[in-house]
Amino acid sequence: MNAPDLQPRLPTYAPPQALARTAHVAGRAAYDALVAEAEADHEGYWARLAREFVGWKTPFIRTLDSSDAPHYRWFEDGTLNVSWNCLDRQVAAGRGDKVAIVFESDDGQVTRTTYAQLLAQTCRMANALKSLGVRKGDRVVIYMPMSVEGVVAMQACARLGAVHSVVFGGFSAHALRDRVADTGATVIVTAAQQVRGGKRLPLKALVDEALALGGCEAVRSVVVHRRTGEPIEWTARDVWMHEITQAQGDSCEPEWVGAEHPLFLLYTSGSTGKPKGVQHCSGGYLLHAALTTKWTFDMHDDDVFWCTADIGWVTGHTYIAYGPLAIGATQVVFEGVPTYPDAGRFWQMIERHRVTVFYTAPTAIRSLIKAAEGNPAVHPDRHDLGSLRVLGSVGEPINPAAWEWYRQHVGGGRCPVLDTWWQTETGGHMITPLPGATDLVPGSCTLPFPGIAAAIVDETGNDVPDGESGLLVIKKPWPSMIRAVWGDDARYRSSYFPPELRGCYLAGDGAARDRLTRYFTIGGRIDDVLNVSGHRMGTMEIESALVACAALVAEAAVVGRPDETTGEAISAFVVLKQPRPTGKEGDRLAAELRAWIGKEIGPIAKPREIRFADNLPKTRSGKIMRRLLRSVARGEAISQDVSTLENPAILDQLTETH
């Protein structure tokens, strides 16, 4: 399939002159010079930046060790501490009284925490974890709402050299159990409840449920933040966060670790049922987090940055917990949802806090477009958004119409819109505009970040001509790349470095480059991974959960279909152990299965629609015809060959949705 050229059909927007004059990367010539530097001396380029952006206890001598590829090792003989870089280093630079985090709770309460205060809180939390026996290399699971305490817990682990694994607060007890068991965590940090959209939702109760499921016997302690005053169940392993931290001193010597020491594990869905524990290291990850925060968003000392992601996702790691703090920025952290108390919440907050750099997801933008079109009172035009100077988009490609609306109505037609492409596995931005250097085209993430060797190849690893679609790969290692899949080296190698690609990192996305601009446009996933509202979920994980409802389900297949709000919607095709239901009975059973999925995985995995059939469409050899199911889910006419279909009559059954 050939990709359309972007330049002739879509407008191009040059960087604003005022921004370009003061930008860290000022003008296309400055970008080209950085790219040329990296191409001429890949290791030397990254070594220069690592010395500039990271504070080292022991300076590194060797930049890159490729002797055990694809297990690349960066700055291995250097030692550092990530928390020291984010906090102590900023205080020492005179930023102790600077606000690090402006926190706004769901109900609108605002608290401001300075760098000195954040350092003291982190030290007390680190000492508390140490008192519970947490040591260098131990794993700590964090199951927290958006909060200063969540960031503090992450920083405290980094300070001790403990490896944190943050689990999104919307995941179920079963999903939490799986991740706790896989990490072998000894401590869980959670909250009694979380508050979202005016509702109080349990977290501690879900931790108790997860631990009761078995397989988490390594857990010795559960540290509980008292977010609300409502009573909760209590066990001998539980400790209140406020009590255990109050008993600690507010200084804690950081654990100096090697650059390759693991910083965190973050689980992401793959095409098989079991989520992958993506392992990131300390030195290389911190470098890219700091570098991309500064260059991609053109962050200056007086900026107020707001990334709306949750710390349970990689965006919340890189662009909340680490990147902004590593460069001494002020940022907004928000507990709630964009539609509470109404869909003007984001715009109210930007106005209130004088946000200058705003980073959110296309799903949020599209839902707020709908809200604004239906209710002028929540339109961004009703608010003073004049403080904004840079806008960003993350999680999935942003369609040109949403891009244009975002630029015009949120940015007032003056702010660059940065469509950033990257992954949990990459650690930070890989293909992205730089606001002072890159001409923008709606719908394109434009050019690779300087030093990132992105390319498009065919199934044998050969470059494809510009204008043609192929596999997105990265041809050279970079400092923040994934280091391992926790406990599964074979999966690491097969998922990301298949032998047919001859050493390239396989991103798992299809893409194309424009013939004129050489800008990248990202297509869909090439494996069975869905992207729903920027959240990656494996189809196999959802299918496995459906089949686990053994009393009802005999067989299931899950596919994605395009959705104008969430990017992709989940469609499930289900064969029951009872006669195929229709009408209200079908609706009832579909609701039961959605509730089951919500409990097994979490609400984000609930299928938008469920279709029942006597059988799934299969070839005569027994293979499920997923391509055909995708056509059915999209409402397309079946134009493909169905001569190999074992039972063509079931196609009529699949038209009824529940």
Side-chain angles (χ1 to χ4, degrees):
M1 178 184 82
N2 289 343
D5 290 324
L6 303 171
Q7 189 95 356
R9 61 185 180 88
L10 291 171
T12 300
Y13 298 95
Q17 288 186 1
L19 190 154
R21 280 196 297 270
T22 61
H24 295 298
V25 182
R28 180 61 184 265
Y31 168 85
D32 290 340
L34 290 166
V35 171
E37 180 191 354
E39 287 179 350
D41 183 1
H42 188 67
E43 290 187 33
Y45 168 82
W46 287 113
R48 174 178 71 80
L49 293 171
R51 294 184 179 106
E52 180 181 339
F53 278 84
V54 178
W56 299 89
K57 179 73 169 176
T58 307
F60 63 91
I61 297 172
R62 187 171 190 180
T63 302
L64 173 63
D65 181 356
S66 304
S67 62
D68 189 28
H71 291 288
Y72 298 97
R73 307 179 73 82
W74 287 87
F75 323 119
E76 187 177 12
D77 54 351
T79 63
L80 76 160
N81 182 274
V82 170
S83 174
W84 181 89
N85 270 272
C86 293
L87 302 175
D88 307 61
R89 193 184 187 202
Q90 308 307 329
V91 172
R95 297 190 179 100
D97 293 330
K98 182 179 181 178
V99 173
I101 295 175
V102 179
F103 175 70
E104 181 162 320
S105 64
D106 188 72
D107 63 2
Q109 298 286 319
V110 176
T111 57
R112 290 174 170 82
T113 305
T114 66
Y115 274 93
Q117 291 168 332
L118 194 62
L119 172 59
Q121 290 181 37
T122 296
C123 286
R124 286 194 291 271
M125 185 66 187
N127 287 329
L129 291 174
K130 198 185 294 185
S131 75
L132 297 173
V134 175
R135 298 292 184 265
K136 175 182 173 181
D138 289 347
R139 276 79 62 204
V140 175
V141 164
I142 298 171
Y143 187 55
M144 291 281 283
M146 286 298 292
S147 58
V148 175
E149 287 79 10
V151 175
V152 164
M154 296 167 76
Q155 286 284 339
C157 290
R159 198 165 194 85
L160 298 178
V163 183
H164 63 68
S165 185
V166 184
V167 178
F168 173 54
F171 276 139
S172 69
H174 287 80
L176 175 63
R177 187 276 309 268
D178 292 346
R179 288 155 175 77
V180 172
D182 197 61
T183 61
T186 57
V187 172
I188 298 175
V189 182
T190 189
Q193 294 179 316
Q194 60 177 333
V195 184
R196 289 173 63 84
K199 299 175 181 175
R200 297 185 173 190
L201 306 168
L203 284 183
K204 168 62 163 54
L206 291 171
V207 171
D208 292 342
E209 185 182 340
L211 296 182
L213 292 169
C216 306
E217 286 72 26
V219 175
R220 299 189 302 262
S221 304
V222 176
V223 181
V224 186
H225 169 50
R226 186 155 61 188
R227 172 62 184 89
T228 65
E230 294 188 12
I232 58 171
E233 295 291 325
W234 204 253
T235 73
R237 66 174 172 249
D238 301 332
V239 293
W240 284 115
M241 182 184 290
H242 63 276
E243 291 181 355
I244 196 170
T245 55
Q246 283 171 5
Q248 308 297 327
D250 57 7
S251 64
C252 176
E253 179 67 15
E255 182 76 30
W256 303 103
V257 300
E260 283 294 318
H261 181 76
L263 177 63
F264 65 85
L265 304 174
L266 190 56
Y267 284 79
T268 183
S269 291
S271 54
T272 63
K274 184 183 177 186
K276 297 186 288 241
V278 172
Q279 179 181 321
H280 277 290
C281 74
S282 299
Y285 171 81
L286 180 67
L287 165 61
H288 206 63
L291 177 65
T292 53
T293 302
K294 190 167 183 172
W295 284 6
T296 301
F297 301 115
D298 190 44
M299 291 282 288
H300 296 264
D301 281 345
D302 57 350
D303 276 310
V304 178
F305 177 68
W306 183 16
C307 169
T308 68
D310 192 282
I311 56 170
W313 309 111
V314 73
T315 304
H317 283 54
T318 306
Y319 300 111
I320 296 177
Y322 291 113
L325 300 177
I327 64 168
T330 295
Q331 64 175 317
V332 173
V333 172
F334 176 44
E335 180 181 39
V337 296
T339 53
Y340 179 82
D342 60 48
R345 183 68 178 271
F346 276 3
W347 325 132
Q348 294 160 13
M349 288 180 60
I350 291 169
E351 181 177 16
R352 184 182 307 130
H353 303 302
R354 308 309 294 161
V355 172
T356 60
V357 182
F358 182 61
Y359 194 35
T360 196
T363 298
I365 296 165
R366 289 191 292 264
S367 66
L368 295 171
I369 291 173
K370 276 188 176 180
E373 289 175 347
N375 179 9
V378 300
H379 199 286
D381 294 351
R382 294 292 181 93
H383 297 274
D384 176 7
L385 307 182
S387 60
L388 288 170
R389 60 182 200 88
V390 175
L391 301 174
S393 171
V394 62
E396 59 187 305
I398 182 170
N399 55 297
W403 191 103
E404 290 277 17
W405 186 92
Y406 191 27
R407 179 183 181 274
Q408 186 60 42
H409 294 286
V410 180
R414 69 185 185 281
C415 298
V417 175
L418 315 176
D419 180 4
T420 61
W421 178 85
W422 61 296
Q423 301 174 307
T424 302
E425 294 87 346
T426 69
H429 300 149
M430 302 295 280
I431 307 175
T432 178
L434 301 182
T438 314
D439 288 350
L440 303 177
V441 174
S444 172
C445 51
T446 68
L447 294 168
F449 191 86
I452 302 301
I456 299 171
V457 301
D458 61 21
E459 289 81 358
T460 59
N462 295 312
D463 290 325
V464 302
D466 290 344
E468 294 186 11
S469 295
L471 308 177
L472 179 59
V473 299
I474 312 297
K475 288 192 170 185
K476 295 179 182 178
W478 67 101
S480 66
M481 65 193 299
I482 178 176
R483 293 306 198 263
V485 171
W486 183 256
D488 195 342
D489 188 59
R491 196 174 183 193
Y492 169 75
R493 293 172 180 270
S494 64
S495 296
Y496 303 113
F497 296 93
E500 62 270 19
L501 296 186
R502 297 174 294 195
C504 292
Y505 167 87
L506 176 64
D509 285 323
R513 294 193 85 163
D514 186 84
R515 291 188 183 94
L516 297 177
T517 62
R518 304 211 75 219
Y519 281 10
F520 284 81
T521 298
I522 308 299
R525 298 288 303 172
I526 61 173
D527 57 13
D528 290 324
V529 175
L530 309 178
N531 192 328
V532 181
S533 298
H535 304 153
R536 284 173 59 187
M537 285 174 285
T539 57
M540 184 63 70
E541 189 176 7
I542 303 170
E543 289 173 10
S544 299
L546 280 166
V547 175
C549 186
L552 283 178
V553 178
E555 196 173 20
V558 171
V559 300
R561 64 169 176 80
D563 183 86
E564 64 176 16
T565 301
T566 60
E568 275 191 290
I570 301 169
S571 294
F573 298 81
V574 177
V575 179
L576 297 177
K577 292 180 176 179
Q578 62 188 62
R580 177 174 64 90
T582 57
K584 289 185 178 178
E585 176 64 6
D587 293 342
R588 184 187 68 78
L589 287 169
E592 190 173 333
L593 291 175
R594 286 191 185 94
W596 172 270
I597 292 292
K599 186 171 178 61
E600 289 290 301
I601 303 175
I604 58 172
K606 289 181 179 180
R608 178 75 58 82
E609 59 186 28
I610 295 178
R611 303 173 190 237
F612 296 108
D614 293 331
N615 304 104
L616 294 177
K618 295 177 182 176
T619 64
R620 289 181 174 85
S621 62
K623 187 177 181 180
I624 296 173
M625 300 176 71
R626 294 178 184 274
R627 188 164 55 96
L628 188 148
L629 291 179
R630 291 188 188 98
S631 293
V632 171
R634 292 171 181 175
E636 300 168 348
I638 305 299
S639 58
Q640 61 210 63
D641 181 18
V642 293
S643 59
T644 58
L645 185 60
E646 187 179 29
N647 178 13
I650 63 172
L651 290 177
D652 292 333
Q653 298 177 5
L654 296 175
T655 59
E656 185 177 3
T657 61
H658 302 275

